[in-house]
Amino acid sequence: MSEEQTVRNPRGLLISLCAVMMMSVMNGTMFNIAVPDIAKTYQLMPSEVSWVMTGYIMVYAVGALTYGKLADYYPYRTLITFGLTVFAVGSLFGFFSQNYAMVLMARVIQALGGAMIPALVFLAPIRYFPNERGKVLGIVSSVMAFASGIGPIAGGFIAGFLDWRYLFLTSALIIVTLPFLRKNLPQEEAKKGYIDYVGAGLIGGFISTLLLAITLGVTWLFAVSTLFFALNLWRMKAIDEPFIPPHLFKDVKYTATIVTSFLGVVCLFGMMFMLPIMFRDAYQMDTMTIGLILFPGAVSAALMGQKGGNLVDSKGNTFVLYLALTLLITGFTVLSTLVGAHPYVLSAAIIISYMSFPLVQASSADILANLLHKNETGVGMGVFNLLNFVSGALSGAVIGKALDLYDPFQPINVLGFNGNTAIYSNVFLVFAVIIAVGLIQFRLNYNKTRKPAAQEEPASL
């Protein structure tokens, strides 16, 4: 009997996965809007209130990798029950918070539980929908992209008409998906296996200090992060079963896919981070208007997701990845040219890049699923999710610094508009170049001869 047949209600499971993913992503993007309100409530400096997002992303990134590893050994029902319960507890704690320290603690608790969601949502299609994996990954990715777009709108509405604390209460509603997930997930037994918790701690230290160094701009933290990285490399060679098997990165196809996906998501998250700033500063728009301008892009991502998933199944995952990267290069080049035009024109132009989001995610995840050994799917996809969240922090920090320090009047793109939008035109042009580099490196490395599968499996298996 195939794993797909063990799911009682595949449609119900898919709906439940999409619902939990939707609420999880919205939780992150809604709080972006609430940061100024939180700062005003507790009279905080920008560097202090930034921990609302920095602390969440830091714990979330490490947790996504950890849950991916645990998924190789523990039943999904157990992990998802633990994760959603912890997330809901953190949300309620935040709603009743009395000071800023309690708010930060609530966000950390949220991240400890919520990090389970992307790890398992991207693994479930691989395990339970093998015959429609591309389609399901496309749907999940489209939900992720759509939630990223409407999150700021929902956050602005809730914080504006009620209070920012109600964002926590809204997030707590995610617990209603748990009974449906438990009902539709099959009963599984835990597997025996060794988990390198020391290695996990070293990886956590590396990622945490790296994200802190990037977001806070503290130089000495880069040195600490480098030390953790060196210790992790030593640990990976010193024991037989390290937390992340080093042979994963010896597979040229796996590494090429991870790098290409990382570059694509860096630019996509960078676009999502920069667009609200651009419309606020260069077009003097309020939060609600910005959300409405971005809404068509979010809808296009949702509509493209299922179509892209079907293309993965029918045309192949590499075909869809090449298509997505080509669309991204085109979309960013168009935006570089049109920044400074009427907002409605930009709203239409944004669609090209937004619709590529689920295509990049679905095709990359499907490629990785084909490359990974079945006993390492969790940790292999965990690295994929980890890099997604690191890319968000990296792009936001770098773009923020660029906007602070660089203010040209004339863009590099000779077809672009002069004036206060020139910096945004240049950033979009850089995005197009980054995507082109990713496409070239993928084409060169993915077509290299791969070692036989028998040589790739770890000896312990």
Side-chain angles (χ1 to χ4, degrees):
M1 181 177 294
S2 68
E3 287 182 308
E4 185 178 23
Q5 290 176 296
T6 62
V7 179
R8 296 179 182 178
N9 183 0
R11 181 180 177 84
L13 176 58
L14 178 57
I15 293 173
S16 301
L17 290 172
C18 289
V20 75
M21 189 66 167
M22 180 91 168
M23 299 179 74
S24 172
V25 174
M26 285 182 63
N27 173 71
T29 55
M30 286 192 305
F31 274 91
N32 285 337
I33 297 296
V35 165
D37 293 335
I38 297 174
K40 182 178 179 180
T41 300
Y42 298 111
Q43 298 181 342
L44 302 170
M45 297 291 291
S47 59
E48 295 173 317
V49 75
S50 66
W51 281 97
V52 171
M53 299 306 301
T54 301
Y56 184 83
I57 292 174
M58 187 171 62
V59 177
Y60 205 90
V62 177
L65 173 61
T66 304
Y67 279 111
K69 179 70 173 182
L70 293 175
D72 287 330
Y73 301 103
Y74 294 98
Y76 281 19
R77 291 180 68 180
T78 301
L79 293 176
I80 211 159
T81 300
F82 174 81
L84 289 184
T85 302
V86 171
F87 183 88
V89 169
S91 300
L92 291 175
F93 187 80
F95 179 69
F96 293 106
S97 60
Q98 301 299 312
N99 52 58
Y100 184 52
M102 293 180 68
V103 172
L104 287 182
M105 186 178 296
R107 290 292 282 168
V108 170
I109 296 172
Q110 275 190 324
L112 285 171
M116 167 276 309
I117 296 170
L120 300 191
V121 167
F122 273 97
L123 285 171
I126 299 172
R127 179 174 292 191
Y128 303 123
F129 299 89
N131 298 327
E132 296 182 300
R133 186 175 63 201
K135 177 181 178 180
V136 175
L137 284 171
I139 293 173
V140 169
S141 298
S142 68
V143 169
M144 183 177 180
F146 180 71
S148 298
I150 69 168
I153 302 175
F157 180 83
I158 294 170
F161 287 91
L162 296 172
D163 183 76
W164 61 265
R165 289 183 178 84
Y166 282 87
L167 296 178
F168 279 112
L169 192 61
T170 303
S171 298
L173 294 175
I174 200 171
I175 197 67
V176 303
T177 63
L178 181 57
F180 300 99
L181 286 165
R182 288 186 59 85
K183 178 182 178 181
N184 293 310
L185 284 169
Q187 185 69 47
E188 298 169 315
E189 298 294 330
K191 301 175 184 178
K192 293 182 179 179
Y194 169 77
I195 297 179
D196 176 24
Y197 291 105
V198 174
L202 291 175
I203 294 171
F206 165 62
I207 297 299
S208 299
T209 52
L210 177 62
L211 290 177
L212 287 173
I214 292 171
T215 55
L216 301 181
V218 180
T219 305
W220 63 267
L221 281 174
F222 284 106
V224 178
S225 180
T226 302
L227 176 61
F228 273 117
F229 182 73
L231 289 173
N232 183 60
L233 289 180
W234 168 80
R235 181 72 179 179
M236 291 170 70
K237 296 179 180 179
I239 66 173
D240 294 331
E241 298 182 62
F243 192 78
I244 298 180
H247 65 264
L248 281 180
F249 303 104
K250 294 180 181 179
D251 186 338
V252 177
K253 292 179 180 287
Y254 178 86
T255 304
T257 306
I258 285 289
V259 170
T260 302
S261 173
F262 175 77
L263 294 177
V265 175
V266 160
C267 296
L268 283 164
F269 279 166
M271 177 188 71
M272 293 178 184
F273 171 82
M274 188 173 68
L275 284 173
I277 297 174
M278 181 187 76
F279 284 121
R280 184 194 65 202
D281 294 346
Y283 288 84
Q284 288 76 51
M285 291 182 175
D286 58 39
T287 301
M288 187 60 68
T289 306
I290 293 172
L292 294 175
I293 289 293
L294 299 180
F295 186 70
V299 172
S300 71
L303 296 176
M304 178 55 71
Q306 185 169 354
K307 180 65 176 178
N310 289 330
L311 282 175
V312 169
D313 289 330
S314 62
K315 298 292 186 179
N317 43 38
T318 55
F319 170 84
V320 175
L321 183 56
Y322 283 130
L323 174 63
L325 296 176
T326 303
L327 285 174
L328 279 177
I329 294 171
T330 304
F332 289 138
T333 303
V334 170
L335 283 172
S336 174
T337 304
L338 295 180
V339 167
H342 194 281
Y344 291 161
V345 175
L346 288 179
S347 181
I350 290 167
I351 291 175
I352 303 174
S353 300
Y354 248 108
M355 66 192 297
S356 304
F357 190 109
L359 298 181
V360 171
Q361 292 284 85
S363 58
S364 299
D366 195 71
I367 291 172
L368 295 175
N370 285 333
L371 296 175
L372 292 166
H373 187 275
K374 64 179 182 179
N375 287 351
E376 293 178 337
T377 304
V379 67
M381 294 303 293
V383 173
F384 171 73
N385 284 313
L386 171 67
L387 290 178
N388 280 345
F389 295 112
V390 171
S391 67
L394 176 64
S395 60
V398 173
I399 291 171
K401 288 293 184 182
L403 296 180
D404 289 341
L405 303 176
Y406 185 45
D407 187 24
F409 177 79
Q410 186 175 358
I412 299 173
N413 186 340
V414 295
L415 299 177
F417 288 78
N418 294 336
N420 61 350
T421 59
I423 176 61
Y424 305 105
S425 173
N426 290 348
V427 172
F428 283 126
L429 192 61
V430 170
F431 284 168
V433 173
I434 292 173
I435 298 299
V437 171
L439 189 154
I440 292 170
Q441 80 84 27
F442 180 79
R443 186 172 183 83
L444 292 175
N445 292 315
Y446 192 81
N447 292 327
K448 289 183 178 179
T449 304
R450 189 182 180 207
K451 294 180 181 180
Q455 297 179 23
E456 295 176 346
E457 296 180 14
S460 60
L461 296 177

